[in-house]
Amino acid sequence: MKYPLIALTALALSGCNSTDNNTTASPSNLQTNNAAVSSAEASKATTHTAPAAAPASAQAPQQDSVSKANLAKAPKSAQGDEVIYILANVPYSQPNVIADNVRNECYQLGNQFSDSLVKYAKAQRLAIKQVQGELPQSGKVLQLSIDNVYSGGNAFIGHRKSASVSAKLMIDGKVVDSTSKTRNSAGGFLGGFKGSCSVLAHTVNTLGSDIAKWAKSSKHF
């Protein structure tokens, strides 16, 4: 009877050992399975996230087109800055010092001076634009004025005419250069057949040429 008991005890112990071995082996199998699942999920994430770089490359052509558009606009603004604005009717700086007969009879001197400057500026390759009322506050502006006009003599005893003008070059409202010019006239050729206003018109016409040449020589153009 001792031998059968010993045999049963040995079988029981061997069964316990086999159960422990099976139990301890199962966590390694779970870890292997978990690793496989994680690897699969990682590969899926890589597959889905890879195309994310595409929008950045897709935006590149749009940025290039914007840059080209800005470059295309630049020459237009640069050309706009080269335009010089003047008044279509140049005023007297001190109307009270101008003789009444000059202001009342030769009232077109302001327009004649402005038109003369436009005419001679074209020969100097300067773009002059006349405006009515007020000059703009930005850009290049020539602030002109007729400072003095003297009208002596007449067609019978000879003309003695004189006109003085001033010009201030302003860029964005700031004075950067200025000049003053004076011209005298005895009427020129056939002066004996000209009236006083005609001789004064000739005088401011010459002053328009003087101001155009001065503007051309300015370092700001």
Side-chain angles (χ1 to χ4, degrees), residues 2-33:
K2 293 183 179 179
Y3 291 106
L5 290 175
I6 294 173
L8 290 172
T9 302
L11 288 173
L13 290 176
S14 62
C16 291
N17 290 335
S18 62
T19 304
D20 292 339
N21 291 334
N22 292 336
T23 304
T24 54
S26 59
S28 62
N29 293 334
L30 291 175
Q31 290 176 357
T32 303
N33 294 335

Side-chain angles (χ1 to χ4, degrees), residues 1 4 25 35 40 64 74 81 103-104 111 134 190:
M1 292 297 292
D64 292 341
D81 291 340
R103 288 191 290 110
N104 295 331
N111 296 107
E134 295 183 358
L190 298 177

Side-chain angles (χ1 to χ4, degrees), residues 112-124:
Q112 291 166 341
F113 178 37
S114 180
D115 292 341
S116 171
L117 179 54
V118 172
K119 178 179 66 175
Y120 289 107
K122 289 181 180 179
Q124 300 294 334

Side-chain angles (χ1 to χ4, degrees), residues 55-184:
S57 60
Q59 292 177 356
Q62 183 178 1
Q63 293 175 353
D64 292 341
S65 62
V66 173
S67 300
K68 291 179 181 178
N70 291 335
L71 290 174
K73 292 179 181 179
K76 294 182 181 180
S77 60
Q79 291 174 359
D81 291 340
E82 292 302 319
V83 176
I84 309 167
Y85 296 94
I86 65 171
L87 287 176
N89 186 12
V90 179
Y92 293 110
S93 59
Q94 295 179 304
N96 58 327
V97 303
I98 308 299
D100 291 340
N101 62 327
V102 172
R103 288 191 290 110
N104 295 331
E105 298 173 16
C106 307
Y107 54 87
Q108 292 184 333
L109 288 180
N111 296 107
Q112 291 166 341
F113 178 37
S114 180
D115 292 341
S116 171
L117 179 54
V118 172
K119 178 179 66 175
Y120 289 107
K122 289 181 180 179
Q124 300 294 334
R125 298 183 181 276
L126 295 174
I128 301 288
K129 184 175 181 179
Q130 295 171 305
V131 297
Q132 300 286 346
E134 295 183 358
L135 290 168
Q137 298 298 317
S138 60
K140 293 182 179 180
V141 170
L142 267 181
Q143 190 177 64
L144 305 171
S145 64
I146 300 176
D147 301 327
N148 194 19
V149 176
Y150 173 75
S151 180
N154 53 50
F156 300 101
I157 63 175
H159 291 286
R160 298 186 302 278
K161 311 299 186 196
S162 176
S164 299
V165 300
S166 295
K168 294 179 181 179
L169 174 60
M170 306 178 71
I171 299 179
D172 295 330
K174 181 180 179 181
V175 178
V176 296
D177 206 351
S178 63
T179 188
S180 296
K181 304 290 183 183
T182 299
R183 283 284 182 170
N184 302 311

